[in-house]
Amino acid sequence: AQRVTQPEKLLSVFKGAPVELKCNYSYSGSPELFWYVQYSRQRLQLLLRHISRESIKGFTADLNKGETSFHLKKPFAQEEDSAMYYCALSISPDSWGKLQFGAGTQVVVTP
Amino acid sequence: EADIYQTPRYLVIGTGKKITLECSQTMGHDKMYWYQQDPGMELHLIHYSYGVNSTEKGDLSSESTVSRIRTEHFPLTLESARPSHTSQYLCASSRPGTVYEQYFGPGTRLTVT
């Protein structure tokens, strides 16, 4: 069965320090991977998807099929990055948009 | 304004009561989803729908049921609430042609006493 693992429940970093959130997945086919974010008192929202190869709010994520990973990185963390981050996997093409979520990583950026 | 709405936001109810959690979206999306999330845990898909009159059970078994009589409306019902149903319920939708990006509602936090 497909699975998404986020090994860190909590990540505490100082402002200006690099931050990396780990995400590993188990799926033998061609995955579609996403990072979703939930800021305090806000709803869950899409941060970025691997297929777009984009940088959003300074965050990037590279899909490594050999290591089955999709780690999220930012070189200089900001206080507004404090949030809950979820890695999600969609198994295309017949998944009907269903997503498998990891347990999430709480990021706390301290000044 | 195009959005996805969930009501109520918070519900405390006694065991054995029938409850319906409402989810509506004004974005014209065809696919809709219900997730259940316990604190500190991952979101689990419990129901999804491709469109009107189409519903499927998700990966996590749930005693709840859903209906999709109108495109914009996807309510979830528990016939007899139990303390084990205490959780947060998130509704989401995705637009045609881009099935992977899901838009989430604010959630309903349910407590069954």
Side-chain angles (χ1 to χ4, degrees):
Chain A
Q2 305 79 35
R3 188 167 179 82
V4 177
T5 304
Q6 293 180 251
E8 303 127 336
K9 275 194 174 294
L10 174 65
L11 211 53
S12 185
V13 298
F14 287 106
K15 178 182 175 180
V19 60
E20 180 179 31
L21 289 74
K22 290 185 168 46
C23 172
N24 289 91
Y25 66 92
S26 60
Y27 177 58
S28 56
S30 296
E32 296 285 347
L33 284 146
F34 308 83
W35 278 99
Y36 279 78
V37 61
Q38 188 167 26
Y39 301 103
S40 179
R41 294 191 181 85
Q42 294 187 29
R43 62 183 69 182
L44 196 60
Q45 58 187 283
L46 179 68
L47 178 62
L48 56 79
R49 72 198 85 182
H50 93 269
I51 199 169
S52 300
R53 303 186 67 81
E54 57 199 345
S55 172
I56 302 292
K57 299 183 179 182
F59 284 99
T60 59
D62 290 319
L63 176 61
N64 186 324
K65 290 187 177 181
E67 296 182 358
T68 59
S69 68
F70 188 55
H71 304 327
L72 184 69
K73 302 175 186 178
K74 184 169 183 177
F76 307 104
Q78 302 299 313
E79 290 180 68
E80 55 265 30
D81 296 328
S82 295
M84 191 74 173
Y85 292 80
Y86 294 92
C87 184
L89 164 71
S90 179
I91 50 171
S92 59
D94 297 324
S95 65
W96 296 102
K98 293 188 293 178
L99 294 174
Q100 184 92 29
F101 282 87
T105 298
Q106 179 77 47
V107 171
V108 177
V109 181
T110 51
Chain B
E1 181 181 335
D3 203 349
I4 180 164
Y5 305 91
Q6 287 188 246
T7 57
R9 294 290 311 278
Y10 303 92
L11 179 62
V12 180
I13 201 161
T15 298
K17 300 290 186 184
K18 177 180 179 178
I19 58 171
T20 296
L21 307 184
E22 300 289 349
C23 175
S24 294
Q25 50 95 4
T26 55
M27 296 186 285
H29 290 174
D30 57 348
K31 296 177 180 59
M32 296 188 73
Y33 314 85
W34 274 105
Y35 292 89
Q36 183 175 343
Q37 183 184 30
D38 294 323
M41 306 294 287
E42 60 258 54
L43 286 74
H44 289 288
L45 182 69
I46 51 175
H47 298 283
Y48 60 102
S49 167
Y50 316 143
V52 172
N53 293 325
S54 139
T55 61
E56 298 287 339
K57 288 192 177 295
D59 304 321
L60 180 69
S61 176
S62 173
E63 294 168 345
S64 58
T65 59
V66 292
S67 62
R68 189 88 183 275
I69 298 171
R70 302 198 318 264
T71 300
E72 62 272 19
H73 197 212
F74 191 42
L76 180 145
T77 299
L78 277 164
E79 290 293 332
S80 180
R82 295 209 298 267
S84 60
H85 296 140
T86 294
S87 190
Q88 171 155 266
Y89 293 83
L90 293 173
C91 182
S93 68
S94 64
R95 55 186 172 171
T98 54
V99 298
Y100 308 115
E101 179 173 355
Q102 294 187 12
Y103 296 81
F104 282 82
T108 294
R109 190 166 297 279
L110 172 67
T111 302
V112 183
T113 60

